[in-house]
Amino acid sequence: MRSAREEYERRLKAYTRLLGKQTKRVNTTSILRLAVFVIGIAITGILIYLKYPYLSISSLLVTMIVFTLLVVQHRKFKDNKKYTETLIKINETSIKRTEGQWKEFKDSGEEFQDEEHNFSGDLDIFGRGSLFQWINSAVTHLGRISLKDRLTVFNDSIEEKYKIQEAVKELGSTLGFRQKYMAEALMNKDNMNNPEVLFKWAGEKHERYKKTWLSIATKIMPLLPIGALLALLLVPGFTYKVLLLAILINILFLFPTNVERQNVLSEVAEYKKSLESYYKMVRLIENKNFKSEYLNELKKKLTDSNGVKASKQLEELQEIISLISDRSNMFYIIINIIFVLDYRIMIRLENWKENSGKHLETWIRTIGEFEALSSISVISYENPKWVMPEFLKDIDKISAKGMGHPLLGEKRVCNNFIMEMPAKVLLITGSNMSGKSTLLRTIGINLVLSYAGAPVCAESFKCPIMKIYTCMRVSDNLEKNISSFYAELIRIRNIVDASKSDDKIFFLLDEIFKGTNSMDRHEGARVLITQLSRAGAMGLVSTHDLELGTLENESGGRIKNYHFREYYEDDKIKFDYKLRPGVSTTRNALYLIKLAGIEVEDNKKGY
């Protein structure tokens, strides 16, 4: 079985070969189109010169028909070429991800960063070097929002989470579907803006266009100019003034609400490209047979109460929008006057909104849900050795075998980890750079993956459903005039308040109370850790304060000590990043000070 990298490379080669053929096809039809036009016009000119009127007209008609067919074919070939180029780009991007170059990807979800969120900032969920940047394959506005919610909001029950796991595994195995699905969105990427205006339009009603008399009038009004024209051609002595009068009547009929129609039709026309992609993405979902219950539940949302498929209804909307796009044609004004097309289009639009408009938001949100799940399934496909977590219902326990940080790639060092009753808090000590903070983030981000329905970076992983809170990266907020120390207090207060609720709480605290003196820091940390352990919250606390290690004996087993250590080889500091029980027994501050070029002994003499 091919690895993900090998399959991406195979597809890249296949699509590159196809692109070569398609490029030749596009160039050939382009040359042929020009040749037909030049030769056809030349022959027509010669026939006119030779005074063969019927042959010249026939030649011109044949030329225009063949030329038009070639234009349509050329456009189709160009679209196919662009689609193949998009698939090539997707596979090139996928190869970069497997090579660890994903931090170069433009979409890092930076706009989703939220300093006030319970954990996303500390666990690198968004921004440069983030989980979002690593896995995101969502292109549409709501697809990206859906992925953001999947990684930060965990309201699903355990049963739902297992369903999502099955959906993610199934999507992971359907690489062809996922790449085509993403390609359809990328074809019109620049048009995938926030569809809220479209949703608003779909819900707006213009009752005047539902009137029966107007529907009858739009059928009758074209008969006036058409009948007058036929009479002018066939009836001797029929005056052209009647034709002009008929045209004037139609113009006056079109005049009322002209500005309103212009605004409505122009607004929806802006979504032509994005609706084209939505339609094709819906078609891909509808034509795919899924096994997982969750995916089939999502798929059912792409039908209305009468069982009519969303693709059929979106196709009808596309036809209407194509008519709207024709309004920019120079001949449209003439056709509009004769056939009162503006009214006909508005009536069709209102009928469509009446029957299908209320479903549009559900369809587009469902498209986004599939994008989010496809993004998460990237983890499953590219990391087949990672495992889906097991969720514990009534047991406060986290256990993992071979757990590593998913964003560190080959640099990661894996640890076995267990946290179970009566222990509620693990106190992690160790010297600088030994791995304390990384361990906290490793556990935190793997919990995020678990709750999102993704596999985790471990050989086995079990956990209960908990609400995650962190206090790790805290900085000054000049805009709100908040110091880092006060910002840290706010975070800690939120954790304390949450621990008093009925929810299961999991917290990660990294070197708390850094902004105060050592005595207050020690006492504050001691009181906080004791209070959280008594409240029943679970969590990890990293600290340099080795004296906090005495809490293990004082807590009745609720607090356990673990540590990381360093060693020296050839007068160089080394770390194995392995978690061990007990309090740290080593220190490296003086070594690091010397590494910075500070002469420790001279400074001592100076004092």
Side-chain angles (χ1 to χ4, degrees):
M1 183 177 177
R2 295 188 190 93
S3 66
R5 166 72 180 273
E6 290 170 339
E7 181 59 22
Y8 293 144
E9 290 177 337
R10 187 193 70 80
R11 286 173 175 267
L12 178 60
K13 290 177 183 177
Y15 287 128
T16 301
R17 288 194 298 269
L18 178 60
L19 180 63
K21 295 177 182 177
Q22 289 175 332
T23 301
K24 290 180 181 178
R25 201 173 295 159
V26 168
N27 293 338
T28 300
T29 53
S30 182
I31 294 170
L32 189 58
R33 182 181 61 178
L34 179 62
V36 166
F37 180 80
V38 172
I39 294 171
I41 293 299
I43 292 173
T44 301
I46 292 171
L47 290 172
I48 291 173
Y49 179 77
L50 296 175
K51 297 182 180 179
Y52 292 113
Y54 295 112
L55 285 177
S56 62
I57 292 172
S58 299
S59 172
L60 182 62
L61 287 174
V62 169
T63 298
M64 297 311 296
I65 291 170
V66 174
F67 180 78
T68 301
L69 290 174
L70 285 172
V71 167
V72 172
Q73 196 66 29
H74 184 258
R75 187 181 297 119
K76 181 181 177 181
F77 287 158
K78 282 185 71 177
D79 287 343
N80 290 341
K81 179 173 173 282
K82 182 181 177 183
Y83 187 70
T84 302
E85 288 171 341
T86 303
L87 287 167
I88 287 173
K89 182 179 179 182
I90 289 172
N91 282 282
E92 287 175 341
T93 299
S94 299
I95 291 171
K96 284 184 177 180
R97 185 170 51 244
T98 61
E99 292 176 341
Q101 300 178 43
W102 52 270
K103 291 181 182 178
E104 300 174 6
F105 298 169
K106 290 183 179 179
D107 191 358
S108 65
E110 186 176 358
E111 74 271 31
F112 300 134
Q113 290 179 314
D114 180 4
E115 292 181 2
E116 296 181 3
H117 190 266
N118 292 342
F119 61 81
S120 63
D122 288 337
L123 299 183
D124 302 308
I125 306 302
F126 307 110
R128 181 166 175 76
S130 66
L131 178 59
F132 186 96
Q133 187 179 25
W134 177 43
I135 67 172
N136 178 49
S137 63
V139 179
T140 71
H141 177 81
L142 291 183
R144 297 176 71 254
I145 294 291
S146 180
L147 179 57
K148 183 264 290 185
D149 290 341
R150 287 272 174 198
L151 299 178
T152 54
V153 183
F154 311 120
N155 294 326
D156 303 305
S157 66
I158 289 178
E159 291 72 20
E160 283 291 301
K161 290 187 188 299
Y162 282 130
K163 286 182 183 179
I164 295 169
Q165 285 183 355
E166 291 303 314
V168 167
K169 284 192 287 188
E170 182 174 357
L171 282 175
S173 67
T174 58
L175 179 62
F177 167 81
R178 287 191 288 112
Q179 290 196 342
K180 290 175 183 176
Y181 192 73
M182 185 179 180
E184 292 295 359
L186 284 172
M187 288 286 282
N188 293 305
K189 181 181 179 180
D190 294 337
N191 301 97
M192 290 301 180
N193 301 318
N194 190 338
E196 289 299 328
V197 175
L198 185 62
F199 299 156
K200 182 182 177 183
W201 165 84
E204 289 177 345
K205 307 296 181 185
H206 298 87
E207 296 297 333
R208 66 172 58 90
Y209 300 104
K210 296 179 183 177
K211 303 294 184 182
T212 303
W213 71 265
L214 183 61
S215 179
I216 295 171
T218 57
K219 294 179 175 65
I220 294 174
M221 298 304 290
L223 299 178
L224 300 179
I226 293 172
L229 179 61
L230 290 174
L232 185 64
L233 295 173
L234 301 175
V235 179
F238 193 86
T239 176
Y240 71 89
K241 292 180 180 179
V242 176
L243 175 59
L244 293 177
L245 179 61
I247 291 173
L248 180 60
I249 291 171
N250 277 22
I251 290 174
L252 292 173
F253 181 66
L254 286 165
F255 188 75
T257 69
N258 180 58
V259 175
E260 178 189 71
R261 293 196 310 272
Q262 179 72 28
N263 292 337
V264 171
L265 297 177
S266 298
E267 189 174 61
V268 71
E270 293 178 5
Y271 287 90
K272 180 180 179 181
K273 289 292 186 181
S274 58
L275 282 167
E276 181 182 339
S277 285
Y278 291 143
Y279 164 72
K280 291 180 178 179
M281 294 169 84
V282 165
R283 282 288 302 273
L284 282 170
I285 297 170
E286 289 176 348
N287 293 333
K288 182 70 178 176
N289 292 320
F290 297 108
K291 296 178 182 178
S292 78
E293 184 179 349
Y294 193 82
L295 292 179
N296 281 311
E297 287 173 357
L298 282 178
K299 187 176 177 179
K300 285 179 183 177
K301 294 182 179 180
L302 298 177
T303 56
D304 63 15
S305 55
N306 297 318
V308 181
K309 291 182 176 180
S311 61
K312 184 176 180 181
Q313 298 174 72
L314 287 172
E315 187 175 21
E316 183 183 354
L317 180 58
Q318 278 191 287
E319 291 174 2
I320 298 171
I321 293 177
S322 292
L323 291 174
I324 296 172
S325 299
D326 290 340
R327 296 174 84 247
S328 60
N329 191 301
M330 59 185 296
F331 298 109
Y332 181 84
I333 188 171
I334 299 171
I335 299 171
N336 188 31
I337 290 171
I338 296 173
F339 295 100
V340 290
L341 275 184
D342 273 4
Y343 280 118
R344 290 171 176 267
I345 292 171
M346 286 297 297
I347 289 170
R348 283 191 67 181
L349 269 179
E350 288 305 309
N351 288 336
W352 188 90
K353 287 197 284 186
E354 181 71 26
N355 298 322
S356 308
K358 55 184 173 290
H359 304 297
L360 184 61
E361 183 171 353
T362 298
W363 297 337
I364 296 179
R365 289 194 182 280
T366 300
I367 289 170
E369 283 290 322
F370 268 93
E371 284 186 290
L373 291 171
S374 293
S375 297
I376 293 172
S377 71
V378 167
I379 304 172
S380 175
Y381 178 69
E382 295 184 359
N383 302 278
K385 293 183 179 180
W386 294 13
V387 296
M388 286 294 183
E390 178 184 340
F391 299 109
L392 306 174
K393 277 191 176 181
D394 301 312
I395 305 173
D396 290 344
K397 174 182 177 181
I398 302 175
S399 67
K401 181 180 179 183
M403 177 183 65
H405 197 296
L407 303 183
L408 292 182
E410 295 178 358
K411 296 179 182 178
R412 75 173 64 96
V413 174
C414 298
N415 275 288
N416 295 333
F417 178 86
I418 188 164
M419 184 177 185
E420 60 183 336
M421 292 291 288
K424 285 288 187 177
V425 179
L426 300 189
L427 196 64
I428 314 298
T429 53
S431 55
N432 298 290
M433 304 190 304
S434 60
K436 301 187 300 299
S437 299
T438 300
L439 173 70
L440 269 60
R441 291 192 176 91
T442 298
I443 295 169
I445 199 169
N446 276 300
L447 283 173
V448 169
L449 290 177
S450 299
Y451 300 157
V456 296
C457 183
E459 297 172 31
S460 67
F461 195 89
K462 298 179 181 180
C463 65
I465 304 297
M466 302 174 288
K467 290 191 174 181
I468 305 171
Y469 288 81
T470 64
C471 182
M472 301 178 71
R473 293 185 184 126
V474 184
S475 58
D476 296 336
N477 189 325
L478 299 179
E479 188 176 321
K480 295 183 179 181
N481 197 27
I482 296 175
S483 69
S484 60
F485 182 64
Y486 186 64
E488 183 180 28
L489 291 178
I490 293 174
R491 287 280 196 95
I492 290 172
R493 184 180 63 190
N494 290 339
I495 296 172
V496 172
D497 290 344
S499 71
K500 296 175 183 177
S501 69
D502 294 331
D503 297 321
K504 287 187 177 181
I505 303 301
F506 183 81
F507 61 87
L508 297 168
L509 305 179
D510 188 23
E511 297 293 343
I512 50 176
F513 301 132
K514 294 183 286 289
T516 188
N517 63 75
S518 59
M519 187 177 296
D520 286 345
R521 180 171 63 247
H522 171 79
E523 188 58 30
R526 187 181 189 88
V527 171
L528 175 63
I529 294 168
T530 301
Q531 181 176 336
L532 290 174
S533 69
R534 287 176 178 170
M538 295 180 69
L540 281 74
V541 181
S542 72
T543 181
H544 283 103
D545 189 350
L546 302 183
E547 293 179 0
L548 290 174
T550 59
L551 288 172
E552 178 175 320
N553 296 327
E554 300 169 5
S555 66
R558 293 192 309 274
I559 300 171
K560 290 286 186 182
N561 290 318
Y562 282 86
H563 73 280
F564 289 95
R565 72 183 184 191
E566 81 280 1
Y567 62 96
Y568 295 87
E569 193 174 276
D570 298 328
D571 201 30
K572 292 182 179 180
I573 190 170
K574 298 289 183 74
F575 304 96
D576 62 11
Y577 304 111
K578 288 296 182 180
L579 185 66
R580 295 175 173 84
V583 179
S584 174
T585 58
T586 59
R587 300 177 182 180
N588 65 6
L590 290 179
Y591 179 88
L592 295 177
I593 290 171
K594 290 180 181 179
L595 198 64
I598 300 171
E599 298 179 6
V600 177
E601 293 299 323
D602 288 346
N603 277 343
K604 283 182 179 179
K605 291 175 183 178
Y607 286 114

